[in-house]
Amino acid sequence: AQSVTQLDSQVPVFEEAPVELRCNYSSSVSVYLFWYVQYPNQGLQLLLKYLSGSTLVKGINGFEAEFNKSQTSFHLRKPSVHISDTAEYFCAVTPTGTASKLTFGTGTRLQVTL
Amino acid sequence: DVKVTQSSRYLVKRTGEKVFLECVQDMDHENMFWYRQDPGLGLRLIYFSYDVKMKEKGDIPEGYSVSREKKERFSLILESASTNQTSMYLCASSNEGLAGNTQYFGPGTRLTVL
């Protein structure tokens, strides 16, 4: 079985500051990793995903994440956040070779203020 | 663009009622999923379906059933609603095969059971 830990339930940050949202996972098999974003009153949408290849993955809206196999982490970063980035962010994993059953973390609420 | 629609954004039901939540996708996806989202718990998989008339239990299937009679439609059924089923319900779909395929989410149905 897989598990995902997002240690920070809330991250307050000022506009134009950098941000890192942390994600650690546990799995006995190889996994694919995802970050989804949920804006207020909306469903989730994919920010980025790591399947293979370069460990630095770039996504939409200026976000990027780095897969670190030795530390079993997949932290999400943005060098300069905007008010519109205020949302909840979910990290998720799925074992490779299965029918894309995702296991989600508990989410991190990013609150961007002026 | 992939579109996943859910029949209601908000729903209020009474304890003991039978509740149907409907989900429709327009991208001919084989896989469809039902999750519930609760604060501090993230998203938890209730059921998923990888083909018409096929279903598989997720992590929290108790108290729920599903129906998939047509490829584009996946229904979640609460046979006898209870107050602990008050939650946000999210439907998603994805292509078959690769575990790395993106899941596309609907906007969610916020169900309140009184």
Side-chain angles (χ1 to χ4, degrees):
Chain A
Q2 292 71 47
S3 66
V4 177
T5 302
Q6 292 182 249
L7 283 173
D8 305 306
S9 59
Q10 294 188 61
V11 173
V13 64
F14 290 112
E15 193 175 35
E16 298 184 4
V19 71
E20 178 179 86
L21 306 183
R22 296 181 294 168
C23 172
N24 287 88
Y25 70 93
S26 173
S27 177
S28 57
V29 299
S30 297
V31 295
Y32 295 141
L33 296 134
F34 303 78
W35 275 100
Y36 281 83
V37 60
Q38 184 179 34
Y39 298 105
N41 297 316
Q42 294 185 28
L44 278 68
Q45 68 180 87
L46 183 71
L47 265 182
L48 48 80
K49 61 184 177 182
Y50 173 78
L51 302 183
S52 64
S54 171
T55 56
L56 183 63
V57 181
K58 293 190 184 299
I60 62 171
N61 301 339
F63 283 92
E64 63 181 33
E66 185 150 23
F67 170 54
N68 188 318
K69 190 174 182 180
S70 62
Q71 297 186 6
T72 60
S73 67
F74 190 54
H75 301 332
L76 182 70
R77 301 185 184 100
K78 187 169 182 178
S80 174
V81 296
H82 190 266
I83 289 282
S84 60
D85 292 322
T86 293
E88 188 138 26
Y89 293 78
F90 293 94
C91 183
V93 301
T94 185
T96 62
T98 65
S100 62
K101 275 177 59 177
L102 292 172
T103 298
F104 285 87
T106 53
T108 297
R109 170 89 178 148
L110 177 65
Q111 182 69 50
V112 182
T113 54
L114 295 172
Chain B
D1 272 358
V2 175
K3 193 158 187 185
V4 180
T5 55
Q6 296 184 230
S7 50
S8 306
R9 292 301 303 272
Y10 300 93
L11 208 52
V12 180
K13 295 293 181 180
R14 296 206 175 274
T15 301
E17 279 193 78
K18 190 169 186 175
V19 181
F20 292 87
L21 302 182
E22 305 286 339
C23 175
V24 178
Q25 51 94 2
D26 66 357
M27 280 302 292
D28 203 35
H29 283 167
E30 283 73 19
N31 300 330
M32 295 188 75
F33 307 83
W34 275 106
Y35 296 90
R36 65 177 280 176
Q37 181 181 8
D38 300 289
L41 296 177
L43 277 77
R44 293 177 292 167
L45 182 64
I46 304 171
Y47 267 97
F48 73 100
S49 169
Y50 48 90
D51 202 351
V52 175
K53 296 191 186 296
M54 305 299 283
K55 61 185 179 184
E56 197 165 318
K57 292 180 180 179
D59 300 317
I60 52 163
E62 296 78 20
Y64 303 94
S65 62
V66 291
S67 172
R68 191 158 180 210
E69 297 294 322
K70 292 184 178 181
K71 191 175 186 180
E72 68 271 18
R73 188 179 298 268
F74 192 35
S75 302
L76 180 69
I77 304 156
L78 288 65
E79 294 289 342
S80 177
S82 63
T83 54
N84 62 13
Q85 293 178 309
T86 291
S87 187
M88 170 71 88
Y89 289 88
L90 292 165
C91 175
S93 72
S94 71
N95 270 332
E96 71 172 333
L98 298 178
N101 285 339
T102 300
Q103 287 191 22
Y104 295 89
F105 284 81
T109 296
R110 187 167 292 283
L111 173 67
T112 301
V113 183
L114 300 175

